[in-house]
Tab-separated table of all heavy atoms in Angstrom:
chain	number	residue	atom	x	y	z
A	1	LEU	N	-4.935	-12.087	-3.555
A	1	LEU	CA	-3.711	-11.482	-4.073
A	1	LEU	C	-2.666	-12.541	-4.413
A	1	LEU	O	-1.852	-12.350	-5.321
A	1	LEU	CB	-3.158	-10.472	-3.067
A	1	LEU	CG	-4.048	-9.247	-2.822
A	1	LEU	CD1	-3.343	-8.265	-1.886
A	1	LEU	CD2	-4.416	-8.560	-4.131
A	2	LEU	N	-2.666	-13.659	-3.686
A	2	LEU	CA	-1.763	-14.758	-4.045
A	2	LEU	C	-2.084	-15.267	-5.449
A	2	LEU	O	-1.175	-15.532	-6.250
A	2	LEU	CB	-1.877	-15.888	-3.030
A	2	LEU	CG	-1.098	-17.174	-3.368
A	2	LEU	CD1	0.397	-16.902	-3.486
A	2	LEU	CD2	-1.375	-18.252	-2.315
A	3	SER	N	-3.366	-15.407	-5.761
A	3	SER	CA	-3.758	-15.850	-7.096
A	3	SER	C	-3.271	-14.870	-8.161
A	3	SER	O	-2.765	-15.276	-9.222
A	3	SER	CB	-5.280	-15.989	-7.165
A	3	SER	OG	-5.700	-16.370	-8.445
A	4	ALA	N	-3.383	-13.581	-7.873
A	4	ALA	CA	-2.907	-12.566	-8.814
A	4	ALA	C	-1.387	-12.611	-8.949
A	4	ALA	O	-0.845	-12.447	-10.045
A	4	ALA	CB	-3.360	-11.186	-8.356
A	5	PHE	N	-0.697	-12.834	-7.833
A	5	PHE	CA	0.764	-12.951	-7.849
A	5	PHE	C	1.186	-14.112	-8.758
A	5	PHE	O	2.116	-13.996	-9.564
A	5	PHE	CB	1.265	-13.161	-6.416
A	5	PHE	CG	2.724	-13.480	-6.284
A	5	PHE	CD1	3.660	-12.456	-6.221
A	5	PHE	CD2	3.171	-14.796	-6.203
A	5	PHE	CE1	5.016	-12.748	-6.089
A	5	PHE	CE2	4.508	-15.095	-6.069
A	5	PHE	CZ	5.444	-14.071	-6.013
A	6	ARG	N	0.501	-15.233	-8.627
A	6	ARG	CA	0.833	-16.396	-9.453
A	6	ARG	C	0.569	-16.123	-10.929
A	6	ARG	O	1.336	-16.557	-11.804
A	6	ARG	CB	0.018	-17.599	-8.979
A	6	ARG	CG	0.521	-18.182	-7.674
A	6	ARG	CD	-0.404	-19.250	-7.133
A	6	ARG	NE	0.244	-20.015	-6.061
A	6	ARG	CZ	-0.419	-20.714	-5.152
A	6	ARG	NH1	-1.750	-20.757	-5.177
A	6	ARG	NH2	0.247	-21.374	-4.220
A	7	ALA	N	-0.496	-15.384	-11.217
A	7	ALA	CA	-0.819	-15.091	-12.605
A	7	ALA	C	0.263	-14.229	-13.254
A	7	ALA	O	0.578	-14.394	-14.443
A	7	ALA	CB	-2.173	-14.397	-12.690
A	8	VAL	N	0.838	-13.332	-12.489
A	8	VAL	CA	1.870	-12.443	-13.035
A	8	VAL	C	3.216	-13.138	-13.122
A	8	VAL	O	3.954	-13.008	-14.106
A	8	VAL	CB	1.984	-11.157	-12.185
A	8	VAL	CG1	3.161	-10.300	-12.657
A	8	VAL	CG2	0.698	-10.356	-12.255
A	9	THR	N	3.579	-13.891	-12.079
A	9	THR	CA	4.934	-14.444	-11.978
A	9	THR	C	5.071	-15.861	-12.512
A	9	THR	O	6.177	-16.293	-12.834
A	9	THR	CB	5.399	-14.455	-10.510
A	9	THR	OG1	4.556	-15.350	-9.756
A	9	THR	CG2	5.323	-13.048	-9.903
A	10	GLY	N	3.981	-16.605	-12.549
A	10	GLY	CA	4.072	-18.008	-12.920
A	10	GLY	C	4.581	-18.899	-11.806
A	10	GLY	O	4.799	-20.099	-12.005
A	11	ILE	N	4.759	-18.362	-10.611
A	11	ILE	CA	5.234	-19.140	-9.466
A	11	ILE	C	4.058	-19.918	-8.879
A	11	ILE	O	3.100	-19.331	-8.359
A	11	ILE	CB	5.861	-18.233	-8.397
A	11	ILE	CG1	7.117	-17.563	-8.951
A	11	ILE	CG2	6.196	-19.025	-7.133
A	11	ILE	CD1	7.724	-16.516	-8.023
A	12	ALA	N	4.130	-21.223	-8.946
A	12	ALA	CA	3.030	-22.063	-8.460
A	12	ALA	C	3.311	-22.656	-7.088
A	12	ALA	O	2.406	-23.229	-6.468
A	12	ALA	CB	2.757	-23.190	-9.457
A	13	ALA	N	4.540	-22.540	-6.589
A	13	ALA	CA	4.906	-23.139	-5.304
A	13	ALA	C	4.058	-22.556	-4.178
A	13	ALA	O	3.665	-21.381	-4.204
A	13	ALA	CB	6.382	-22.896	-5.016
A	14	GLU	N	3.772	-23.401	-3.188
A	14	GLU	CA	3.031	-22.940	-2.024
A	14	GLU	C	3.944	-22.142	-1.102
A	14	GLU	O	5.030	-22.615	-0.749
A	14	GLU	CB	2.447	-24.124	-1.256
A	14	GLU	CG	1.226	-24.749	-1.901
A	14	GLU	CD	0.057	-23.784	-1.966
A	14	GLU	OE1	-0.129	-22.987	-1.009
A	14	GLU	OE2	-0.651	-23.807	-2.984
A	15	PRO	N	3.545	-20.963	-0.710
A	15	PRO	CA	4.385	-20.192	0.219
A	15	PRO	C	4.373	-20.806	1.617
A	15	PRO	O	3.340	-21.312	2.076
A	15	PRO	CB	3.734	-18.810	0.215
A	15	PRO	CG	2.314	-19.056	-0.161
A	15	PRO	CD	2.329	-20.232	-1.101
A	16	ALA	N	5.526	-20.760	2.278
A	16	ALA	CA	5.598	-21.204	3.674
A	16	ALA	C	5.056	-20.135	4.614
A	16	ALA	O	4.675	-20.424	5.745
A	16	ALA	CB	7.043	-21.543	4.028
A	17	PHE	N	5.027	-18.887	4.131
A	17	PHE	CA	4.489	-17.785	4.928
A	17	PHE	C	3.655	-16.909	4.006
A	17	PHE	O	4.072	-16.580	2.885
A	17	PHE	CB	5.607	-16.954	5.553
A	17	PHE	CG	5.110	-15.732	6.284
A	17	PHE	CD1	4.636	-15.816	7.580
A	17	PHE	CD2	5.089	-14.487	5.644
A	17	PHE	CE1	4.145	-14.696	8.238
A	17	PHE	CE2	4.608	-13.359	6.292
A	17	PHE	CZ	4.142	-13.469	7.599
A	18	LEU	N	2.474	-16.529	4.492
A	18	LEU	CA	1.595	-15.618	3.751
A	18	LEU	C	0.901	-14.704	4.744
A	18	LEU	O	0.361	-15.163	5.755
A	18	LEU	CB	0.562	-16.399	2.943
A	18	LEU	CG	-0.405	-15.601	2.051
A	18	LEU	CD1	-0.884	-16.457	0.881
A	18	LEU	CD2	-1.623	-15.087	2.838
A	19	ALA	N	0.925	-13.419	4.474
A	19	ALA	CA	0.200	-12.448	5.302
A	19	ALA	C	-0.182	-11.263	4.436
A	19	ALA	O	0.535	-10.896	3.500
A	19	ALA	CB	1.040	-11.991	6.492
A	20	ALA	N	-1.317	-10.675	4.756
A	20	ALA	CA	-1.756	-9.448	4.082
A	20	ALA	C	-1.861	-8.342	5.116
A	20	ALA	O	-2.296	-8.573	6.256
A	20	ALA	CB	-3.095	-9.663	3.376
A	21	HIS	N	-1.462	-7.142	4.715
A	21	HIS	CA	-1.506	-5.985	5.620
A	21	HIS	C	-2.207	-4.839	4.906
A	21	HIS	O	-1.902	-4.534	3.758
A	21	HIS	CB	-0.092	-5.552	6.014
A	21	HIS	CG	-0.069	-4.345	6.908
A	21	HIS	ND1	-0.176	-4.426	8.274
A	21	HIS	CD2	0.034	-3.021	6.607
A	21	HIS	CE1	-0.130	-3.209	8.794
A	21	HIS	NE2	-0.012	-2.337	7.806
A	22	ARG	N	-3.138	-4.207	5.601
A	22	ARG	CA	-3.872	-3.075	5.031
A	22	ARG	C	-3.252	-1.749	5.478
A	22	ARG	O	-3.155	-1.474	6.675
A	22	ARG	CB	-5.333	-3.121	5.469
A	22	ARG	CG	-6.166	-1.944	4.948
A	22	ARG	CD	-7.592	-2.026	5.473
A	22	ARG	NE	-7.621	-1.995	6.928
A	22	ARG	CZ	-8.685	-2.347	7.663
A	22	ARG	NH1	-9.775	-2.787	7.060
A	22	ARG	NH2	-8.635	-2.286	8.979
A	23	TRP	N	-2.852	-0.953	4.499
A	23	TRP	CA	-2.454	0.432	4.748
A	23	TRP	C	-3.655	1.305	4.387
A	23	TRP	O	-3.967	1.485	3.208
A	23	TRP	CB	-1.246	0.815	3.905
A	23	TRP	CG	-0.004	0.039	4.230
A	23	TRP	CD1	0.481	-1.049	3.575
A	23	TRP	CD2	0.912	0.307	5.301
A	23	TRP	NE1	1.650	-1.481	4.164
A	23	TRP	CE2	1.940	-0.670	5.229
A	23	TRP	CE3	0.969	1.272	6.307
A	23	TRP	CZ2	2.997	-0.708	6.134
A	23	TRP	CZ3	2.029	1.235	7.208
A	23	TRP	CH2	3.022	0.263	7.111
A	24	ARG	N	-4.328	1.818	5.388
A	24	ARG	CA	-5.557	2.573	5.125
A	24	ARG	C	-5.239	3.907	4.442
A	24	ARG	O	-6.011	4.384	3.596
A	24	ARG	CB	-6.320	2.816	6.435
A	24	ARG	CG	-7.690	3.428	6.240
A	24	ARG	CD	-8.447	3.508	7.543
A	24	ARG	NE	-8.903	2.212	8.018
A	24	ARG	CZ	-10.035	1.625	7.628
A	24	ARG	NH1	-10.825	2.229	6.750
A	24	ARG	NH2	-10.382	0.462	8.117
A	25	TYR	N	-4.108	4.516	4.798
A	25	TYR	CA	-3.705	5.790	4.185
A	25	TYR	C	-2.295	5.599	3.640
A	25	TYR	O	-1.311	5.886	4.321
A	25	TYR	CB	-3.757	6.923	5.212
A	25	TYR	CG	-5.092	7.010	5.929
A	25	TYR	CD1	-5.189	6.730	7.285
A	25	TYR	CD2	-6.247	7.355	5.230
A	25	TYR	CE1	-6.415	6.801	7.937
A	25	TYR	CE2	-7.474	7.425	5.882
A	25	TYR	CZ	-7.549	7.148	7.231
A	25	TYR	OH	-8.755	7.213	7.875
A	26	ALA	N	-2.200	5.143	2.418
A	26	ALA	CA	-0.903	4.739	1.874
A	26	ALA	C	-0.307	5.744	0.912
A	26	ALA	O	0.890	6.040	0.969
A	26	ALA	CB	-1.045	3.382	1.169
A	27	LEU	N	-1.131	6.278	0.024
A	27	LEU	CA	-0.601	7.020	-1.119
A	27	LEU	C	-1.438	8.263	-1.379
A	27	LEU	O	-2.655	8.165	-1.539
A	27	LEU	CB	-0.636	6.114	-2.360
A	27	LEU	CG	-0.116	6.703	-3.660
A	27	LEU	CD1	1.402	6.795	-3.601
A	27	LEU	CD2	-0.545	5.831	-4.847
A	28	PRO	N	-0.800	9.452	-1.421
A	28	PRO	CA	-1.567	10.652	-1.761
A	28	PRO	C	-1.885	10.689	-3.256
A	28	PRO	O	-0.992	10.837	-4.090
A	28	PRO	CB	-0.632	11.802	-1.355
A	28	PRO	CG	0.735	11.227	-1.405
A	28	PRO	CD	0.603	9.763	-1.090
A	29	THR	N	-3.151	10.512	-3.597
A	29	THR	CA	-3.546	10.548	-5.000
A	29	THR	C	-3.923	11.957	-5.449
A	29	THR	O	-3.880	12.258	-6.647
A	29	THR	CB	-4.728	9.601	-5.251
A	29	THR	OG1	-5.780	9.895	-4.327
A	29	THR	CG2	-4.288	8.148	-5.057
A	30	VAL	N	-4.298	12.815	-4.499
A	30	VAL	CA	-4.552	14.230	-4.794
A	30	VAL	C	-3.809	15.055	-3.746
A	30	VAL	O	-4.391	15.503	-2.751
A	30	VAL	CB	-6.063	14.563	-4.774
A	30	VAL	CG1	-6.287	16.028	-5.178
A	30	VAL	CG2	-6.837	13.647	-5.713
A	31	PRO	N	-2.490	15.249	-3.916
A	31	PRO	CA	-1.735	16.033	-2.933
A	31	PRO	C	-2.016	17.524	-3.079
A	31	PRO	O	-2.507	17.985	-4.121
A	31	PRO	CB	-0.278	15.702	-3.273
A	31	PRO	CG	-0.297	15.355	-4.728
A	31	PRO	CD	-1.640	14.709	-4.977
A	32	LEU	N	-1.707	18.272	-2.034
A	32	LEU	CA	-1.824	19.726	-2.089
A	32	LEU	C	-0.643	20.303	-2.865
A	32	LEU	O	0.347	19.619	-3.126
A	32	LEU	CB	-1.856	20.300	-0.681
A	32	LEU	CG	-2.928	19.767	0.271
A	32	LEU	CD1	-2.837	20.484	1.622
A	32	LEU	CD2	-4.320	19.921	-0.320
A	33	ALA	N	-0.755	21.583	-3.195
A	33	ALA	CA	0.329	22.239	-3.938
A	33	ALA	C	1.247	23.044	-3.019
A	33	ALA	O	2.342	23.439	-3.421
A	33	ALA	CB	-0.262	23.160	-5.006
A	34	GLU	N	0.821	23.258	-1.764
A	34	GLU	CA	1.562	24.183	-0.893
A	34	GLU	C	2.907	23.648	-0.422
A	34	GLU	O	3.810	24.404	-0.100
A	34	GLU	CB	0.711	24.531	0.336
A	34	GLU	CG	-0.501	25.393	0.033
A	34	GLU	CD	-1.752	24.580	-0.228
A	34	GLU	OE1	-1.633	23.448	-0.738
A	34	GLU	OE2	-2.839	25.071	0.070
A	35	GLY	N	3.040	22.358	-0.287
A	35	GLY	CA	4.269	21.777	0.256
A	35	GLY	C	4.197	21.553	1.752
A	35	GLY	O	4.817	20.630	2.276
A	36	PHE	N	3.437	22.377	2.466
A	36	PHE	CA	3.196	22.244	3.907
A	36	PHE	C	2.077	23.200	4.263
A	36	PHE	O	1.678	24.050	3.451
A	36	PHE	CB	4.459	22.558	4.724
A	36	PHE	CG	4.968	23.965	4.530
A	36	PHE	CD1	4.490	25.023	5.294
A	36	PHE	CD2	5.922	24.232	3.565
A	36	PHE	CE1	4.950	26.322	5.106
A	36	PHE	CE2	6.392	25.526	3.362
A	36	PHE	CZ	5.908	26.571	4.128
A	37	LEU	N	1.554	23.088	5.483
A	37	LEU	CA	0.557	24.025	5.993
A	37	LEU	C	1.095	24.663	7.265
A	37	LEU	O	1.681	23.976	8.107
A	37	LEU	CB	-0.759	23.302	6.284
A	37	LEU	CG	-1.457	22.633	5.095
A	37	LEU	CD1	-2.707	21.886	5.565
A	37	LEU	CD2	-1.817	23.647	4.021
A	38	TRP	N	0.866	25.967	7.422
A	38	TRP	CA	1.375	26.654	8.612
A	38	TRP	C	0.528	27.877	8.912
A	38	TRP	O	0.283	28.720	8.042
A	38	TRP	CB	2.833	27.080	8.392
A	38	TRP	CG	3.434	27.880	9.515
A	38	TRP	CD1	3.925	29.144	9.466
A	38	TRP	CD2	3.628	27.455	10.880
A	38	TRP	NE1	4.404	29.546	10.690
A	38	TRP	CE2	4.242	28.516	11.579
A	38	TRP	CE3	3.356	26.273	11.561
A	38	TRP	CZ2	4.570	28.434	12.931
A	38	TRP	CZ3	3.673	26.191	12.916
A	38	TRP	CH2	4.281	27.257	13.569
A	39	ASP	N	0.050	27.964	10.150
A	39	ASP	CA	-0.649	29.132	10.658
A	39	ASP	C	0.229	29.757	11.730
A	39	ASP	O	0.314	29.236	12.858
A	39	ASP	CB	-2.018	28.734	11.225
A	39	ASP	CG	-2.864	29.933	11.627
A	39	ASP	OD1	-2.314	30.869	12.246
A	39	ASP	OD2	-4.069	29.930	11.336
A	40	ALA	N	0.904	30.830	11.381
A	40	ALA	CA	1.869	31.447	12.298
A	40	ALA	C	1.193	32.015	13.542
A	40	ALA	O	1.781	32.008	14.631
A	40	ALA	CB	2.640	32.545	11.572
């Protein structure tokens, strides 16, 4: 991802800090239509 960042930004400087974090469940790509679920 650093290589991709450099390709987009043109920033060639070496970062003093680099870390990657995985969000396993980040973004709803197929959300429901109900708005919520409830069983009274």
Side-chain angles (χ1 to χ4, degrees):
L1 295 184
L2 174 60
S3 178
F5 172 86
R6 286 173 167 159
V8 174
T9 64
I11 295 173
E14 284 296 323
F17 175 82
L18 183 153
H21 178 86
R22 178 182 60 196
W23 296 98
R24 188 174 288 275
Y25 308 113
L27 180 73
T29 53
V30 184
L32 304 182
E34 291 93 329
F36 61 87
L37 298 177
W38 176 241
D39 187 317

